[in-house]
């Protein structure tokens, strides 16, 4: 019988996903994000693409894959907005990278950890968007209300938890 | 697994050797080159993740720099390369949006047209009443409108009226509350072009930012990059409307003015060459000092159209300097109604005047003594004649006195009965 030996935590818990899941889940998230606010305007507060980005990044535990996933999802999201293409792409690239890097270090299966990382990443996303719009694009009238961003982070964290549990079923150990 | 790991390491070493050997340095420099090559490779291996991140961020930053122009034009369409990227993204997403919108529309259409028909009769009745009321209102405005058109023609004033529109359904949004954009199910194949105004019967919605063959992207007026020229309806002050990151529509280029009050209606001024003049934009909700740009005020508006729940919109595809045939017909009908109303009012006034005159004559006839006094008493049993046009010359009979005196009618004897020098006959009151 062959003996299994693992050299790192990353190798122990690195997951991959079937190509259909890896492609359709981000597309579905972007599509839902575009469709839901029309009948339910208050659902514009959600950021389903960011939830998916964080999930794939922490599950794959590969910073390069996390960066590329974040960039692809962000760019596609930008293409549907009136903003310059790259605003969400840059923010989600950074978040994908950091989420994958954190995923190597800590146990991201834990519920408390998931709550904390989701909340933290949503605030970080708002901060990155503020930086990109205000400093990089020079939009001086771009304002962010941090109270609103805290509420947004809390709501998205609450939505992210069941989505994470749902997507856990699609994981495939390498 | 361990065996597989060892094999991977072996292959990496081999590839490293091949890579470093490919440069074939001279023998005296081989040792130095090997060290250089290994250190370079270890650098890339060690910082591979960060380097990928930096490369991706750099590429996107360059992409942003290429797209964004200075000065920033609000709501300006993208360059052709960016449009192509957006076109790909929209081509991927819009079929799904159309599909889900179609399902929803079919269900809602079936429900509202075939099932949920309660109170329809009452609503129909109310609408008929409303139409009747609006016709009267239209008639009251029609003459002023005609006069306005005549004056405009005399002054050679070019007014632009909406002549052609295309109705479209909203099929999706940007999905991002920092970018307030909607997608409609009509595109360049339906004659839509960029910068055409999008409205609802309630007011303006936005303008077309990008056009694809079967879909268009509409930039809403509450997007942070939107702008529109507006006119305050009562004070006739011109201003510039802007969207904001929070989705509110604001005017922030006016200094404090006591005449501007909350509740004032705001209309499109037509100065932006996008929205025709006179369309409803919204109502002033609050006025306060702008903390970022003193001494200017920050005027917040409540949009006339419900920008959060748009179902159907109209895209203005054409304007003209004269009223459309249908509008002229409606206006003519309004003028006819107004004239009919005026004629009816004149007849009514005339009748009222005649009735008033008749009424005055009747009062006078009632108060004066009648010269046909004997005729009424001669026929005590007969019924009173009908009150048909009493002759004005007839003097009415006075009412009988309660306490008669010598001045009462009939109390004084006839002159023929009196004798000169005789004493005056005693009165009945005196006798009592």
């Amino acid at each position: 019988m062959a003996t299994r030996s693992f050299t790192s935590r990353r190798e122990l818990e690195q997951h991959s996903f079937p190509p259909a899941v890896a492609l359709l889940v981000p597309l579905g998230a972007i599509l839902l994000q575009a469709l839901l606010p029309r009948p339910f305007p208050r659902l514009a507060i959600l950021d389903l693409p960011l939830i998916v980005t964080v999930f794939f990044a922490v599950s794959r535990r590969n910073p390069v894959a996390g960066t590329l996933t974040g960039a692809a999802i962000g760019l596609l999201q930008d293409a549907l907005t009136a903003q310059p293409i790259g605003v969400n792409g840059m923010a989600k690239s950074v978040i994908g990278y950091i989420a994958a890097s954190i995923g190597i270090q800590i146990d991201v299966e834990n519920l408390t950890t998931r709550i904390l990382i989701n909340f933290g990443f949503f605030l970080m996303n708002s901060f990155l968007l503020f930086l990109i719009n205000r400093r990089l694009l020079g939009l001086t009238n771009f304002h962010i209300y941090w109270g609103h961003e805290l509420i947004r982070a809390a709501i998205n964290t609450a939505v992210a938890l069941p989505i994470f549990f749902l997507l856990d079923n699609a994981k495939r150990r390498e | 697994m361990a065996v597989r790991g060892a094999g991977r390491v072996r292959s990496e070493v081999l590839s490293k050797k091949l890579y470093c050997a490919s440069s074939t340095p001279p023998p005296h420099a081989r040792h130095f080159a090997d060290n250089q090559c290994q250190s370079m490779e270890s650098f890339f291996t060690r910082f591979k993740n960060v380097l990928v991140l930096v490369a991706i961020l750099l590429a996107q930053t360059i992409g942003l720099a290429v797209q964004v122009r200075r000065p920033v034009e609000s709501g300006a369409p993208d360059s052709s390369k960016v449009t192509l990227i957006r076109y790909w993204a929209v081509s991927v997403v819009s079929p799904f949006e159309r599909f889900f919108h179609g399902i929803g529309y079919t269900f809602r259409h079936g429900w509202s047209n075939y099932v949920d028909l309660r109170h329809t009769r009452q609503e129909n009745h109310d609408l008929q009443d409303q139409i009747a009321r609006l016709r009267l209102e239209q008639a009251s405005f029609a003459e002023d409108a005609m006069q306005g058109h005549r004056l405009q023609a005399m002054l050679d004033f070019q007014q632009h009226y909406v002549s052609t529109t295309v109705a479209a359904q909203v099929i999706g949004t940007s999905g991002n509350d920092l970018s307030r954009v909607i997608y409609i199910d009509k595109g360049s194949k339906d004659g839509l072009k960029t910068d055409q105004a999008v409205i609802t019967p309630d007011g303006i919605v936005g303008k077309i930012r990008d056009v694809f063959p079967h879909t268009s992207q509409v930039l809403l007026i509450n997007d942070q990059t939107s702008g529109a020229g507006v006119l305050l309806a009562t004070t006739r002050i011109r201003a510039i409307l802007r969207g904001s990151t929070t989705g509110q529509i604001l005017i922030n280029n006016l200094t404090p003015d006591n005449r501007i009050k909350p509740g004032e209606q705001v209309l499109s001024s037509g100065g932006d060459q996008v929205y025709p003049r006179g369309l409803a934009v919204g109502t002033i909700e609050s006025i306060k000092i702008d903390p970022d740009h003193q001494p200017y005020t920050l005027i917040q508006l409540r949009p006339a159209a419900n920008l959060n729940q748009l179902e159907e919109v109209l895209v203005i595809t054409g304007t003209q300097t004269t009223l459309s045939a249908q509008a002229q017909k409606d206006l003519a009908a309004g003028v006819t109604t107004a004239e009919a109303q005026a004629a009816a009012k004149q007849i009514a006034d005339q009748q009222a005047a005649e009735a008033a005159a008749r009424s005055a004559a009747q009062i006078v006839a009632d108060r004066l003594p009648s010269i046909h006094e004997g005729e009424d008493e001669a026929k005590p049993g007969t019924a009173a004649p009908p009150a048909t046009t009493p002759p004005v010359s007839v003097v009415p009979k006075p009412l009988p006195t309660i306490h008669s005196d010598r001045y009462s009618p009939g109390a004084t004897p006839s002159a023929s009965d009196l004798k000169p020098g005789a004493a005056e006959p005693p009165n009945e009151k005196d006798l009592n």
Side-chain angles (χ1 to χ4, degrees):
Chain A
M1 189 176 177
T3 54
R4 295 169 68 88
S5 71
F6 301 103
T7 54
S8 68
R9 180 183 178 81
R10 173 181 162 182
E11 205 170 328
L12 179 72
E13 293 176 351
Q14 202 168 12
H15 295 100
S16 68
F17 296 90
V21 172
L23 187 69
L24 291 180
V25 168
L27 268 181
I30 291 167
L31 188 65
L32 272 179
Q33 188 68 48
L35 281 174
L36 286 177
R38 202 180 66 80
F40 311 106
R42 289 186 183 278
L43 292 186
I45 202 168
L46 294 181
D47 196 344
L48 298 177
L50 184 60
I51 293 173
V52 171
T53 303
V54 173
F55 175 79
F56 279 113
V58 296
S59 300
R60 287 179 174 143
R61 296 162 197 266
N62 182 340
V64 173
T67 308
L68 291 173
T69 307
I73 291 174
L75 289 174
L76 189 54
Q77 204 180 355
D78 280 330
L80 295 176
T81 66
Q83 293 176 309
I85 292 176
V87 174
N88 277 291
M90 291 176 79
K92 287 190 170 58
S93 302
V94 174
I95 285 178
Y97 176 83
I98 297 172
S101 304
I102 286 176
I104 298 169
Q105 308 293 330
I106 59 170
D107 176 21
V108 289
E109 308 287 325
N110 185 288
L111 181 67
T112 312
T113 315
R114 284 186 169 182
I115 291 173
L116 289 175
I117 61 170
N118 273 300
F119 191 78
F121 281 131
F122 273 98
L123 286 182
M124 185 186 284
N125 185 55
S126 302
F127 180 66
L128 288 170
L129 288 177
F130 176 75
L131 278 186
I132 293 166
N133 279 292
R134 195 76 185 252
R135 303 290 174 195
L136 211 58
L137 299 180
L139 299 175
T140 49
N141 60 346
F142 186 89
H143 295 284
I144 271 192
Y145 299 96
W146 289 105
H148 179 71
E149 296 307 316
L150 284 171
I151 293 169
R152 179 205 295 270
I155 291 171
N156 277 287
T157 303
V159 173
L161 294 177
I163 292 176
F164 271 44
F165 283 116
L166 198 69
L167 292 176
D168 278 340
N169 298 320
K171 278 179 181 174
R172 198 169 57 180
R173 178 168 282 180
E174 281 196 329
Chain B
M1 188 77 178
V3 173
R4 196 185 300 166
R8 191 185 300 162
V9 169
R10 197 179 302 126
S11 68
E12 283 175 2
V13 170
L14 186 64
S15 65
K16 193 189 296 175
K17 279 182 180 172
L18 283 171
Y19 171 74
C20 293
S22 63
S23 56
T24 60
H28 63 273
R30 179 161 294 173
H31 180 68
F32 176 75
D34 281 348
N35 285 342
Q36 281 284 86
C37 194
Q38 280 173 12
S39 65
M40 185 80 98
E41 188 184 324
S42 66
F43 174 80
F44 280 114
T45 310
R46 188 174 177 188
F47 297 107
K48 183 182 75 177
N49 296 336
V50 179
L51 288 173
V52 169
L53 175 69
V54 169
I56 286 177
L57 289 181
L58 194 63
Q60 293 185 75
T61 309
I62 293 168
L64 281 179
V66 170
Q67 292 171 63
V68 178
R69 287 168 293 214
R70 285 286 179 269
V72 178
E73 297 168 30
S74 67
D78 301 316
S79 66
S80 58
K81 287 176 188 171
V82 180
T83 302
L84 190 63
I85 297 171
R86 289 199 196 280
Y87 174 66
W88 290 338
V90 171
S91 301
V92 170
V93 174
S94 65
F96 295 102
E97 288 179 336
R98 279 173 182 275
F99 175 72
F100 287 113
H101 175 263
I103 290 175
Y105 180 76
T106 308
F107 178 75
R108 273 183 281 118
H109 187 74
W111 176 264
S112 58
N113 283 2
Y114 295 100
V115 182
D116 187 22
L117 292 173
R118 287 179 304 159
H119 310 304
T120 305
R121 210 176 288 274
Q122 180 61 37
E123 274 178 26
N124 193 26
H125 184 256
D126 293 345
L127 288 171
Q128 296 284 357
D129 289 347
Q130 195 178 7
I131 287 171
R133 186 169 51 77
L134 289 174
R135 275 200 182 132
L136 293 177
E137 283 181 17
Q138 182 200 25
S140 65
F141 295 134
E143 283 191 357
D144 290 343
M146 292 294 270
Q147 188 182 13
H149 288 305
R150 281 195 297 272
L151 289 172
Q152 282 176 2
M154 284 166 65
L155 295 169
D156 200 19
F157 180 82
Q158 292 288 310
Q159 176 71 290
H160 291 275
Y161 301 100
V162 176
S163 59
T164 52
T165 57
V166 172
Q169 298 258 334
V170 179
I171 58 170
T173 67
S174 70
N176 188 334
D177 60 358
L178 291 178
S179 176
R180 296 178 190 274
V181 161
I182 56 169
Y183 285 87
I184 56 174
D185 66 344
K186 296 285 183 347
S188 57
K189 302 266 185 189
D190 304 287
L192 303 194
K193 293 174 188 162
T194 54
D195 283 343
Q196 285 179 335
V198 181
I199 60 169
T200 66
D202 297 327
I204 67 169
V205 168
K207 67 173 183 178
I208 292 187
R209 186 177 178 277
D210 259 330
V211 180
F212 310 105
H214 300 286
T215 312
S216 298
Q217 190 188 56
V218 178
L219 187 73
L220 299 181
I221 51 165
N222 61 348
D223 183 82
Q224 55 181 322
T225 59
S226 267
V230 293
L231 183 71
L232 307 192
T234 313
T235 52
R236 312 307 288 177
I237 296 172
R238 283 175 179 270
I240 297 171
L241 184 87
R242 291 197 179 283
S244 66
T245 49
T246 52
Q248 294 167 330
I249 51 174
L250 307 165
I251 293 171
N252 62 353
N253 71 324
L254 293 180
T255 49
D257 191 328
N258 289 332
R259 292 174 299 165
I260 304 170
K261 304 271 188 229
E264 183 170 0
Q265 208 186 357
V266 179
L267 309 171
S268 59
S269 68
D272 50 25
Q273 303 290 317
V274 175
Y275 304 103
R277 184 185 166 91
L279 296 176
V281 175
T283 313
I284 293 178
E285 206 165 50
S286 67
I287 305 162
K288 58 185 177 186
I289 295 292
D290 188 351
D292 295 338
H293 305 98
Q294 287 191 15
Y296 291 101
T297 52
L298 198 63
I299 300 174
Q300 188 182 328
L301 272 68
R302 186 173 60 251
N306 185 0
L307 301 175
N308 290 325
Q309 275 195 316
L310 292 165
E311 294 279 344
E312 286 176 348
V313 293
L314 292 171
V315 183
I316 298 175
T317 52
T319 55
Q320 59 189 31
T321 52
T322 54
L323 276 175
S324 66
Q326 184 61 42
Q328 282 181 353
K329 198 175 160 187
D330 291 343
L331 200 57
V335 171
T336 311
T337 313
E339 284 170 357
Q341 271 185 308
K345 193 181 172 192
Q346 195 179 357
I347 291 168
D349 287 348
Q350 197 175 349
Q351 285 176 345
E354 283 176 6
R358 279 201 300 268
S359 171
Q362 180 69 42
I363 290 166
V364 170
D366 284 346
R367 288 192 179 171
L368 292 177
S370 174
I371 59 171
H372 300 285
E373 174 178 350
E375 290 176 7
D376 291 344
E377 286 175 355
K379 302 171 187 174
T382 56
T388 52
T389 60
V392 177
S393 56
V394 173
V395 180
K397 181 186 174 186
L399 294 171
T401 53
I402 298 169
H403 303 290
S404 58
D405 56 10
R406 59 181 177 168
Y407 300 110
S408 299
T412 307
S414 173
S416 58
D417 297 338
L418 297 175
K419 290 180 182 175
E424 188 182 346
N427 202 351
E428 286 178 17
K429 195 175 178 183
D430 298 337
L431 290 173
N432 293 333

